[in-house]
Amino acid sequence: MLRKIRRFFAALFFVGITLLFLDFTGTLHAWLGWMAKIQFLPAVLALNFGVVAALLVLTLLFGRVYCSVICPLGVFQDVVSHIAGKIRKNRFSYSPALRWMRYAVLVLFIVAMVAGVGSFVALLAPYSSYGRMVSNLLAPIYQWGNNIVAGFAERTGSYAAYETDVWVKSIPTFVIAALTFVVISWLAWRSGRTYCNTICPVGTVLGVVSRFSLFKVAFDEDKCKNCGLCARKCKASCIDVENHKIDHSRCVACMNCVSDCKFGALKLTHHRLWGSARRKAADAPVDTSRRTFLMAGAMAAGAATLKAQEMKVDGGLAAILDKKAPRRETKITPPGSWSAYNMAQRCTACQLCVSVCPNGVLRPSTDLMTLMQPEMSYERGYCRPECTKCSEVCPAGAIQRIDRAEKSSIQIGHAVWIRDNCVPLTDGVECGNCARHCPTGAIQMVSSVPGDALSVKIPVVDAERCIGCGACENLCPSRPFSAIYVEGHERHRTV
């Protein structure tokens, strides 16, 4: 029964979080967005102390339930391991914990965050790793299927579904997502929860806490026949049948052993009521200083990097040159992030904001220091003042929630005019596209020759009114580089 309950809630969270990353319309976030916000590392980075406290209390009560129910990457490993188990049954065995590797990875994780190497942090964050796999590998398939359905619906006169662009937002991020999928799938296929119990920093931290959990799986030595079935079923490889011990720092409370034991020798019980059996099953005492250090490490935040792939824009009636991203001195971060520093400190590069952006503006960075974190570029669209979806879905507080009125007054950058690319001067024709579409009226067209009213008009930018939305850059007809582009601000301000 315990295993069935665990599987039900694990399936609920797994499907819900997967749908969050597949939903390009952003409508599901109103119903399921809380599932992303209760992930451990995003909650820590968002300083959501209520969620963090609840997860720690849950761990202190029942062990690493978070890893087997709430964490999507953990459930993904269970799915792969379950499929592998159909081919080769009872394939696990007890193996001693590689504590040196677990703590070494955690120390590197902490050092990377302190040093600002967000790319390394993002690679290890379990929730973000799963999000990148879904966004880069599964979402394109889902979107192609949606486009097929939308095409059929349109032929029948229904517009309930609509087509969406399917494009690779970042080649490096796609490659990293594919490698992550292969490595984690291989580890799960071969050894079950190896990643969780050897590499994952969240698993290491919760493993320390779970040593002190109130309810644990423990042996009843009088009933145990030493058949070893529990150890062969344990995907965490944490059951030492010979010594009747369970390494609760690695146990993910999957309840497989309790359900499969034919003699009722394993039970989930209050450890103080288990008498001598509990004392034999207890782990070695933990060094308090090390535990404090590990818990402090869990409170550190990370982010990660890479820059976005150049998009493809089509004129609709004729083939035109693709636009290319300009070389910006300062990258543009989304409204609500408030500064590049805040983004770097809190973003886990989960790609949820990238998935939900309806305008194709957000894409993963390719810079080494901000690898896979979202940055803005305007080759495919611009940041519409009425859209606040990225701020609504961010679970880590890297993009804080803002309303439409706030967004219209937040300056994330300012437009810069490039004279040599401007169509009126290069082709001698009237344009004014940038001025017509500027939502704040920050661009005015003036005579290119002072005092000559008949000369072609060129844009002049009022940097104090510009909010950096990118409408001018996106809609500029100049190719391959726009004649006007947005330079980002390290710190956002209100205009």
Side-chain angles (χ1 to χ4, degrees):
M1 178 59 72
L2 289 175
R3 180 166 61 180
K4 290 181 179 179
I5 294 172
R6 194 267 306 172
R7 285 181 172 178
F8 172 79
F9 284 105
L12 190 67
F13 276 95
F14 185 69
V15 172
I17 292 174
T18 302
L19 289 176
L20 283 179
F21 286 98
L22 294 178
D23 177 33
F24 56 86
T25 66
T27 54
L28 286 180
H29 289 271
W31 301 91
L32 303 177
W34 61 272
M35 290 186 176
K37 296 182 186 301
I38 65 170
Q39 299 299 314
F40 188 80
L41 187 57
V44 170
L45 299 180
L47 302 180
N48 195 336
F49 297 114
V51 171
V52 174
L55 293 176
L56 292 177
V57 168
L58 180 66
T59 306
L60 284 171
L61 286 175
F62 301 106
R64 289 173 59 180
V65 174
Y66 171 87
C67 298
S68 60
V69 174
I70 300 175
C71 176
L73 190 65
V75 180
F76 170 76
Q77 292 173 78
D78 286 347
V79 172
V80 174
S81 180
H82 179 75
I83 296 172
K86 297 294 184 181
I87 300 173
R88 181 186 172 194
K89 298 182 181 297
N90 302 328
R91 68 191 191 281
F92 302 120
S93 61
Y94 172 74
S95 61
L98 296 176
R99 286 193 174 92
W100 67 269
M101 181 176 289
R102 297 170 71 184
Y103 298 141
V105 171
L106 184 59
V107 169
L108 289 175
F109 183 81
I110 296 170
V111 170
M113 288 190 294
V114 173
V117 186
S119 53
F120 182 77
V121 175
L123 288 174
L124 295 180
Y127 161 75
S128 300
S129 295
Y130 180 75
R132 286 192 296 272
M133 289 193 299
V134 175
S135 297
N136 289 276
L137 306 180
L138 185 58
I141 299 173
Y142 176 82
Q143 291 166 358
W144 279 322
N146 168 83
N147 290 349
I148 293 173
V149 172
F152 281 117
E154 185 176 350
R155 289 184 178 88
T156 62
S158 171
Y159 295 92
Y162 61 89
E163 293 187 2
T164 183
D165 290 337
V166 183
W167 56 293
V168 178
K169 299 177 178 64
S170 169
I171 292 295
T173 301
F174 180 87
V175 171
I176 290 173
L179 289 175
T180 301
F181 174 80
V182 170
V183 170
I184 292 180
S185 297
W186 179 76
L187 288 174
W189 186 277
R190 179 176 178 272
S191 308
R193 286 291 191 121
T194 299
Y195 177 84
C196 292
N197 290 331
T198 308
I199 301 172
C200 178
V202 174
T204 300
V205 171
L206 294 180
V208 172
V209 179
S210 68
R211 289 175 179 268
F212 308 97
S213 59
L214 194 60
F215 295 93
K216 297 179 180 179
V217 176
F219 277 98
D220 184 342
E221 294 183 29
D222 295 333
K223 294 183 179 181
C224 181
K225 307 301 182 183
N226 291 333
C227 66
L229 179 61
C230 55
R232 295 195 298 273
K233 291 283 189 178
C234 180
K235 57 197 172 190
S237 301
C238 66
I239 300 179
D240 183 359
V241 177
E242 183 177 344
N243 298 304
H244 294 126
K245 291 184 179 181
I246 299 175
D247 183 354
H248 291 101
S249 71
R250 290 187 290 161
C251 176
V252 293
C254 68
M255 301 302 158
N256 286 352
C257 58
V258 174
S259 298
D260 292 329
C261 182
K262 298 178 180 179
F263 308 105
L266 287 164
K267 292 182 180 179
L268 178 68
T269 184
H270 191 296
H271 69 283
R272 297 195 177 193
L273 301 180
W274 204 242
S276 60
R278 183 265 169 190
R279 288 194 294 273
K280 287 191 175 184
D283 297 306
V286 180
D287 180 22
T288 304
S289 60
R290 181 174 63 183
R291 174 161 42 92
T292 303
F293 172 68
L294 295 178
M295 289 303 297
M299 299 301 293
T305 61
L306 284 159
K307 185 198 155 185
Q309 150 111 356
E310 329 266 342
M311 46 72 4
K312 294 182 168 77
V313 176
D314 189 272
L317 299 177
I320 58 175
L321 286 174
D322 291 343
K323 270 200 174 184
K324 293 185 177 180
R327 187 178 185 86
R328 307 182 204 272
E329 293 296 326
T330 304
K331 303 300 180 184
I332 311 171
T333 58
S337 62
W338 300 116
S339 70
Y341 176 80
N342 180 71
M343 175 66 74
Q345 291 298 308
R346 293 192 175 188
C347 178
T348 62
C350 71
Q351 311 297 301
L352 193 54
C353 59
V354 176
S355 299
V356 79
C357 179
N359 304 311
V361 172
L362 288 176
R363 72 251 347 238
S365 169
T366 54
D367 272 348
L368 183 59
M369 298 304 293
T370 55
L371 183 64
M372 297 179 294
Q373 287 185 354
E375 66 179 25
M376 304 178 73
S377 201
Y378 302 122
E379 293 78 66
R380 299 186 69 92
Y382 64 93
C383 192
R384 298 180 182 273
E386 70 275 10
C387 176
T388 59
K389 288 190 180 296
C390 60
S391 75
E392 294 169 3
V393 303
C394 179
I399 308 175
Q400 297 175 19
R401 186 154 190 160
I402 55 175
D403 58 32
R404 296 180 181 181
E406 285 180 289
K407 181 176 179 179
S408 297
S409 62
I410 296 174
Q411 188 181 65
I412 61 176
H414 65 277
V416 178
W417 179 57
I418 306 298
R419 184 184 182 91
D420 292 342
N421 295 345
C422 197
V423 171
L425 298 179
T426 59
D427 298 348
V429 297
E430 295 290 342
C431 181
N433 237 20
C434 52
R436 280 194 300 273
H437 294 93
C438 179
T440 63
I443 302 175
Q444 301 295 324
M445 302 300 293
V446 300
S447 298
S448 57
V449 178
D452 184 358
L454 298 178
S455 61
V456 293
K457 302 294 191 295
I458 58 174
V460 173
V461 179
D462 183 350
E464 294 301 314
R465 298 184 64 178
C466 177
I467 60 174
C469 68
C472 55
E473 179 180 332
N474 173 250
L475 298 171
C476 177
S478 177
R479 295 292 189 279
F481 294 101
S482 294
I484 191 166
Y485 76 98
V486 177
E487 189 64 54
H489 289 174
E490 285 283 349
R491 296 181 62 86
H492 300 172
R493 67 186 183 91
T494 301
V495 296

